[in-house]
Amino acid sequence: MTDTETTHLLHRLNYRMVTETDDRVVMEMDNRPDLTNVRGALQGGLLATLIDIAAGILSGRQVGAEQDVTTADLNIHYLAPVIDGPARAEATVVRAGKRLIVTAVDLTDVGRNRLAARATLSFAVLDRRS
C-alpha cells in the first residue's frame, strides 16, 4: 500500500469489500467507539458514505471503459441504529440505462441481524475526461 492508501480517510474507517460481482457489491465497516454517536450507534453520515461507495462501485461495473459514474441522487430510509455491527451494505442494480443507473442498497447490522437502512441511488453515466 502507498502512503496515500494507508492515510486516506476510507482506509482509516476500515470500509472493506466482502463480495464484488457485476450484479452485487457487498461492503462492511465495523462499529468502533470513535465512529459512533452519543447513543453508541454508527454515525448516519458514515453509513450514507458506505452505501454510496458500494452502489458507486457496482454502478461503475455497468459502464464501458470510456465512461465513469457520479452520484445523481441518494435517498436513505434509516430504520434502526447499527449498534453491534459490522454494518453491511448490499448493493444491487435496479436498472442500468445508457445515461442513468439506479441501484438499491440494504444496510444491515450484522450482529443483530437487523435491517438498519434501505436506500435507492441514481448514478449519471458520464464520458470519461481525457
Side-chain angles (χ1 to χ4, degrees):
M1 272 188 208
T2 65
D3 288 341
T4 303
E5 289 173 325
T6 59
T7 59
H8 192 280
L9 175 63
L10 297 180
H11 179 76
R12 294 190 326 220
L13 293 172
N14 196 27
Y15 289 166
R16 59 190 174 277
M17 188 66 66
V18 175
T19 303
E20 182 179 0
T21 69
D22 288 343
D23 301 323
R24 185 170 159 255
V25 167
V26 180
M27 295 183 71
E28 289 183 347
M29 74 176 292
D30 293 322
N31 188 345
R32 307 186 323 230
D34 61 325
L35 303 178
T36 61
N37 60 26
V38 296
R39 299 187 62 193
L42 276 171
Q43 292 280 353
L46 297 176
L47 297 176
T49 302
L50 178 64
I51 288 167
D52 189 41
I53 291 170
I57 290 170
L58 180 61
S59 293
R61 295 180 66 89
Q62 310 304 307
V63 299
E66 298 302 316
Q67 296 175 311
D68 287 316
V69 296
T70 189
T71 307
D73 181 69
L74 167 62
N75 184 308
I76 302 174
H77 295 275
Y78 292 99
L79 306 171
V82 176
I83 301 291
D84 294 342
R88 177 178 290 164
E90 181 174 343
T92 57
V93 175
V94 174
R95 182 179 184 280
K98 292 183 182 200
R99 290 288 157 210
L100 194 67
I101 298 168
V102 179
T103 61
V105 179
D106 281 347
L107 185 118
T108 58
D109 182 337
V110 174
R112 298 190 314 156
N113 192 29
R114 187 172 189 188
L115 183 64
R118 179 159 285 166
T120 54
L121 299 88
S122 299
F123 290 85
V125 178
L126 306 171
D127 292 330
R128 195 167 275 176
R129 290 184 179 178
S130 5

